């Protein structure tokens, strides 16, 4: 251990002043007192040096170079433990105290930049502390000198909700999860019944709902669902049948009209044949001079009118044929539109069923987990027990250790608050995240 010159000089002067008056046997007492004085003066300085604050990334320090305002200012220690000093550039401060930083910066400036620089370094803004876990507002908070663990929890809004509030929240979460499962199961039953009905309509048969099974306490709902789907099946089939029957009822009228027009056409054709025979006789008489020309003109006019009626009746027959074809097309379109609607609804139902089948397992698992949490909370009872842990940079490495509420925190500490789980068989209570 080195001794300062002032202490050594005081010890020598004290021994020389007392030597003439004290015997040789008692000369050791003043030296013992001097050594005790040296120990008392040297020990606090060594302890202070050992516990001095060592900077780390995130700390902001102020550097003052006396007489050099342009070279003074604040800087932050980066992730590589460097600071930026004007003229010098990056200076490593890894593991250094403020006093050691002063010495290193002064040495760097004296190396070709300034003569005998006087440097002062102070900590202007220490790195923040972090509070996570079972607190109301986890986050980053500025470090305050002398802040304790409980003070950091207070900065984070205190501990999280009380046990009773937690149990109430868990019960509410379970109720919501159970309602979601019930809603999904109900929707799945509805879609399954709809799919059975649509398949029956597609195949033209009566739906069979025997394969439709309900879940917890849903037998009455399943019966109502079967009844409603069966009624809907009957109603839609009846509506289609009535629509087709209304179209088919027009066919006998068209057939009757066709028969009537055909009879008129046949009559006109017979009349045309008679007129043509009269014209043959008239031409024979006209050639022998026994007929008048006016009679022949009337016969020709009657023939032309008869031919016009025949053409008109043929057109009516064509229109009736077109109406019959259009009627068959409308009946076919009605059936096809019904089948298209059935297929569209079936595809939509199948897609939604696939989505429900994918969602139901996760919803049931969530409900089961919520139920277990409610059971754990009800069995636990009493105020919650918590464990406190701090993660701290020590000698440039990260260490995590338990801590008590009254302990003081350091800049950069990460305080983790964890609610303990109840003890299992043969095991002590343990923080959930540490298991």
């Amino acid at each position: 251990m080195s001794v300062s010159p002032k202490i050594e000089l005081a010890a020598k002067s004290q021994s020389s002043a007392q030597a003439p008056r004290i015997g040789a046997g008692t000369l050791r007492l003043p030296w013992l007192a001097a050594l005790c004085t040296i120990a008392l003066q040297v020990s606090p300085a060594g302890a202070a040096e050992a516990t001095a604050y060592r900077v780390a990334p995130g700390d902001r320090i102020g550097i003052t170079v006396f007489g050099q305002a342009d070279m003074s200012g604040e800087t932050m220690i980066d992730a590589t433990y460097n600071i930026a000093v004007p003229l010098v550039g990056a200076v490593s401060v890894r593991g250094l105290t403020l006093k050691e930083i002063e010495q290193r910066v002064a040495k760097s400036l004296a190396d070709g930049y300034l003569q005998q620089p006087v440097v002062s370094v102070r900590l202007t803004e220490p790195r923040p502390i972090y509070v996570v876990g079972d607190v109301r507002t986890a986050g980053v908070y500025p470090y305050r000198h002398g802040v304790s663990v409980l003070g950091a929890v207070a900065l984070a809004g205190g501990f999280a909700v009380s046990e009773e509030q937690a149990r109430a929240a868990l019960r509410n979460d379970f109720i919501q999860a159970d309602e979601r499962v019930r809603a999904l199961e109900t929707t799945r039953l509805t879609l399954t019944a709809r799919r059975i009905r649509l398949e029956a309509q597609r195949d033209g048969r009566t739906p069979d709902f025997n394969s439709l099974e309900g879940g917890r306490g849903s037998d009455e709902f399943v019966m109502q669902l079967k009844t409603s789907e069966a009624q809907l099946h009957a109603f839609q089939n009846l509506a289609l049948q009535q629509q087709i029957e209304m179209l088919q009822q027009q066919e006998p009228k068209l057939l009757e009209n066709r028969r009537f027009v055909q009879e008129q056409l046949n009559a006109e054709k017979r009349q045309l044949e008679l007129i043509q025979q009269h014209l043959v006789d008239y031409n024979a008489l006209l050639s022998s001079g026994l007929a008048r020309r006016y009679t022949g003109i009337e016969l020709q006019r009657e023939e032309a009118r008869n031919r016009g009626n025949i053409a008109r009746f043929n057109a009516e027959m064509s229109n009736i044929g077109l109406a019959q074809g259009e009627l068959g097309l409308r009946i076919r379109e009605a059936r096809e539109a019904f089948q298209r609607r059935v297929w569209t609804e079936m595809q939509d139902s199948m897609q939604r069923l696939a989505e429900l089948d994918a969602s139901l397992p996760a919803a049931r698992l969530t409900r089961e987990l919520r139920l277990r949490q409610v059971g754990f909370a009800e069995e636990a009872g009493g105020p919650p027990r918590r464990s406190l842990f701090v993660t701290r940079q020590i000698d440039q490495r990260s260490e995590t250790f338990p801590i008590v509420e009254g302990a003081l925190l350091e800049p950069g500490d990460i305080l983790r608050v964890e609610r303990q789980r109840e003890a299992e068989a043969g095991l002590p209570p343990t923080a959930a995240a540490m298991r």
Side-chain angles (χ1 to χ4, degrees), residues 58-103:
D59 286 336
R60 182 178 292 275
I61 60 175
I63 302 176
T64 303
V65 182
F66 292 99
Q68 303 292 332
D70 294 339
M71 302 182 67
S72 303
E74 292 187 359
T75 182
M76 179 177 290
I77 302 170
D78 60 21
T80 59
Y81 288 83
N82 290 334
I83 60 173
V85 179
L87 298 181
V88 178
V91 176
S92 177
V93 295
R94 182 184 295 271
L96 299 184
T97 64
L98 298 178
K99 191 67 175 177
E100 292 169 344
I101 295 175
E102 291 179 356
Q103 297 172 359

Side-chain angles (χ1 to χ4, degrees), residues 193-240:
R194 183 181 303 175
R195 177 180 59 81
I196 294 174
R197 186 252 304 170
L198 291 172
E199 288 177 350
Q201 289 177 333
R202 178 196 62 188
D203 301 335
R205 55 180 175 81
T206 303
D208 183 10
F209 296 105
N210 292 329
S211 60
L212 190 64
E213 296 180 356
R216 301 165 297 157
S218 58
D219 293 339
E220 183 178 356
F221 173 74
V222 171
M223 292 300 300
Q224 294 177 355
L225 194 60
K226 291 180 179 179
T227 302
S228 62
E229 288 295 331
Q231 292 176 350
L232 183 60
H233 176 270
F235 172 78
Q236 290 182 349
N237 284 353
L238 179 61
L240 175 64

Side-chain angles (χ1 to χ4, degrees), residues 390-401:
V390 161
T391 301
R392 178 176 297 169
Q393 292 290 330
I394 300 177
D395 295 334
Q396 302 178 19
R397 68 178 185 276
S398 179
E399 293 186 4
T400 301
F401 52 88

Side-chain angles (χ1 to χ4, degrees), residues 338-397:
F338 181 80
Q339 288 296 323
R340 282 196 302 270
R341 185 171 67 252
V342 168
W343 275 103
T344 301
E345 292 182 7
M346 184 180 299
Q347 289 178 353
D348 179 69
S349 300
M350 296 296 290
Q351 181 178 357
R352 294 179 62 186
L353 276 172
E355 294 174 355
L356 285 174
D357 289 338
S359 301
L360 262 174
R364 288 169 177 164
L365 179 59
T366 301
R367 180 185 63 186
E368 184 65 23
L369 292 177
R370 294 289 185 267
L371 179 60
R372 292 181 181 178
Q373 290 175 347
V374 171
F376 291 155
E378 295 294 342
E379 292 175 3
R385 289 182 291 178
R386 297 178 175 88
S387 298
L388 303 173
F389 301 91
V390 161
T391 301
R392 178 176 297 169
Q393 292 290 330
I394 300 177
D395 295 334
Q396 302 178 19
R397 68 178 185 276

